Amino acid sequence: MLTVYPKKVRLQSGTSVTIRPMVKEDADKLYAFFSRVPREDRLFLRDDVSIRDVIDSWTQELDYRKVLPLVAEVGGNIVGDATLHRRTFGWTSHVGKVRLVIDKDYRGKGLGTVLIEELIDIAKKAGLEQLVAELMSDQTGALSAFKRLGFEKEAVFFNYVKDQVGEERNLVVMIKNLRIEPAMVLF
Amino acid sequence: MLRIYPKQVSLKDWTKVTLWPMEPRDEARLHEFFCRIPEEDRKLLKEDVAHRAVVANWCRQIDYNRVIPILAEAGGKIVADATLHRRKFGWLQHVGEIRIVVDPEYRRKGLGSLLIEDLMLLAIDSKLERLFAELVASEIAAVRAFERVGFERMAHLPGFARDQNNTPQDLLLLTADISTANQPETYFYSF
């Protein structure tokens, strides 16, 4: 399933990006990547990635069956991190969750779309049936990218999450059914 | 906050139950409790609690700032496990999640409701503002217990969860707003 990596892709801008699963040796690069992520974006993450120990615990405890992290690399720097989370047990073991962080300089270039497409592919091969993504309703770029990839808005939690200044925002839960593939997506 | 424990409560049928926050020494009895839970219910949990190692891991890593597990004991056995989960960081750090497992022999006695109320009060004390719970729609008694104390249905995901026979089940996402409970002169619910 992961034998296709490392994989080279070309973005719309012509930049060549290498996509591959995260390895133990990525700790330094990953820490540098997350340090470049603006504070307001770090808040969307579950853990405080400005703490080195958090990054180290990820890279040291890699278990692709539970969390599959794909990184995008340009010239030795990580510029994107997309993760597929799944449970090995229970009522939602057929469901995967995707999370995505893209370097500020590489947004709006289709890199997020490329990474999510890779995760969709991996999820299908792993036999998952649903993919979930959680976004803030103000992340319009990401919302429309997920929509183009076949994710549908399933629920909106009104004023449920808080941004970096403590302001309440809406949480949008998007779900993609991996078993049903639309014949054609109109833009 | 946890100083009110251990605490004795009476159920509807006058069974005496003791509640207290989980400690490392509860490991063996907690595992016995989970082994008494029918498989179809165990499948609704996030981890395979029939494995002693899973329970042992919880007992080794107790951190009440992240997870407050309240156990209930009756007749020398653990009969329920109720947990309040929270995150220390991020856009959901003001949201707590409640999960509850009750021994089949101790259901329909109001024990689940008692535990939800206790966790809500703990959540209010720890300045959380919202609570979240995930339930299978067919667990009608559990859904009612949550709704009685102010939880509302935020989403109904048809066929999203799978039971032990791999049959699709509807999943309900419930939330409760507890943000006003810390303000003076506001009563969250009446006893």
Side-chain angles (χ1 to χ4, degrees):
Chain A
M1 198 158 71
L2 298 175
T3 48
V4 295
Y5 301 107
K7 187 162 164 179
K8 275 226 191 289
V9 292
R10 199 169 282 280
L11 302 182
Q12 294 142 12
S13 56
T15 318
S16 174
V17 179
T18 309
I19 292 169
R20 59 171 176 79
M22 185 190 292
V23 291
K24 218 163 52 195
E25 293 71 28
D26 286 329
D28 288 334
K29 285 182 192 172
L30 204 62
Y31 185 63
F33 163 66
F34 280 117
S35 308
R36 289 195 305 272
V37 173
R39 200 190 113 70
E40 64 264 30
D41 294 349
R42 286 211 294 266
L43 209 69
F44 299 141
L45 309 174
R46 296 250 161 171
D47 298 290
D48 189 351
V49 290
S50 62
I51 300 170
R52 177 67 196 234
D53 285 349
V54 169
I55 309 285
D56 286 345
S57 71
W58 289 351
T59 51
Q60 272 154 33
E61 290 161 25
L62 285 173
D63 179 356
Y64 293 156
R65 285 168 310 169
K66 281 191 178 171
V67 183
L68 177 75
L70 286 184
V71 294
E73 221 176 359
V74 176
N77 287 322
I78 291 177
V79 297
D81 175 33
T83 48
L84 174 66
H85 301 252
R86 55 184 301 196
R87 297 201 161 267
T88 45
F89 176 83
W91 57 346
T92 52
S93 54
H94 62 291
V95 178
K97 200 174 226 179
V98 293
R99 301 202 187 121
L100 178 70
V101 190
I102 303 288
D103 190 301
K104 239 177 133 195
D105 298 340
Y106 285 83
R107 293 183 194 169
K109 296 177 194 289
L111 178 57
T113 303
V114 168
L115 285 168
I116 298 299
E117 277 174 339
E118 294 290 331
L119 290 184
I120 290 172
D121 212 39
I122 293 169
K124 277 182 184 164
K125 285 179 186 149
L128 291 179
E129 293 169 30
Q130 316 249 25
L131 275 184
V132 180
E134 285 174 348
L135 299 151
M136 215 156 77
S137 57
D138 318 54
Q139 294 175 290
T140 46
L143 281 169
S144 54
F146 275 102
K147 205 173 165 194
R148 274 198 304 275
L149 291 165
F151 283 77
E152 282 173 62
K153 205 186 270 189
E154 286 287 345
V156 179
F157 287 62
F158 184 67
N159 279 353
Y160 190 67
V161 290
K162 286 192 176 181
D163 65 15
Q164 76 278 14
V165 290
E167 192 108 349
E168 291 180 339
R169 305 294 181 118
N170 302 340
L171 176 76
V172 180
V173 179
M174 298 189 91
I175 297 179
K176 178 180 169 72
N177 190 330
L178 299 174
R179 289 180 139 183
I180 305 162
E181 208 44 71
M184 190 169 67
V185 180
L186 296 173
F187 290 94
Chain B
M1 194 167 75
L2 294 171
R3 263 176 301 182
I4 57 159
Y5 298 101
K7 165 170 139 176
Q8 280 242 326
V9 291
S10 290
L11 304 184
K12 281 184 204 160
D13 62 355
W14 307 109
T15 315
K16 288 259 181 296
V17 174
T18 310
L19 309 181
W20 77 97
M22 181 174 84
E23 290 168 38
R25 62 186 166 93
D26 297 320
E27 183 192 322
R29 290 204 301 163
L30 189 60
H31 182 243
E32 278 166 30
F33 160 68
F34 282 124
C35 291
R36 287 198 307 275
I37 301 293
E39 200 196 336
E40 66 258 34
D41 293 352
R42 274 210 308 265
K43 280 277 194 235
L44 301 181
L45 306 174
K46 302 246 169 176
E47 285 175 276
D48 192 354
V49 289
H51 287 299
R52 177 73 181 249
V54 171
V55 180
N57 202 27
W58 290 350
C59 290
R60 254 199 314 273
Q61 301 178 352
I62 293 177
D63 175 0
Y64 295 142
N65 291 319
R66 266 176 198 274
V67 185
I68 302 181
I70 301 292
L71 302 181
E73 178 196 67
K77 296 186 301 187
I78 289 177
V79 296
D81 173 31
T83 49
L84 174 67
H85 302 251
R86 55 183 306 188
R87 303 210 149 258
K88 286 182 190 159
F89 179 83
W91 59 344
L92 286 168
Q93 57 185 310
H94 59 292
V95 180
E97 181 177 351
I98 290 184
R99 297 185 200 148
I100 293 192
V101 191
V102 179
D103 186 315
E105 285 179 28
Y106 283 82
R107 291 179 196 171
R108 299 177 197 288
K109 295 176 195 281
L111 179 55
S113 295
L114 266 173
L115 288 165
I116 297 170
E117 286 173 12
D118 260 40
L119 290 182
M120 281 182 111
L121 294 173
L122 287 172
I124 292 166
D125 276 350
S126 39
K127 304 282 186 280
L128 288 174
E129 292 170 27
R130 272 164 211 276
L131 286 173
F132 174 82
E134 237 179 29
L135 294 167
V136 173
S138 58
E139 292 186 287
I140 297 163
V143 175
R144 285 221 187 99
F146 277 96
E147 286 180 333
R148 256 199 310 272
V149 293
F151 277 78
E152 287 173 29
R153 300 176 186 215
M154 290 302 277
H156 183 133
L157 305 175
F160 188 75
R162 291 291 156 85
D163 64 17
Q164 83 276 15
N165 303 319
N166 218 22
T167 309
Q169 296 278 345
D170 293 0
L171 188 69
L172 285 182
L173 308 183
L174 306 174
T175 66
D177 185 345
I178 53 171
S179 60
T180 52
N182 275 312
Q183 288 164 12
E185 290 172 41
T186 309
Y187 294 97
F188 178 46
Y189 61 89
S190 52
F191 290 92

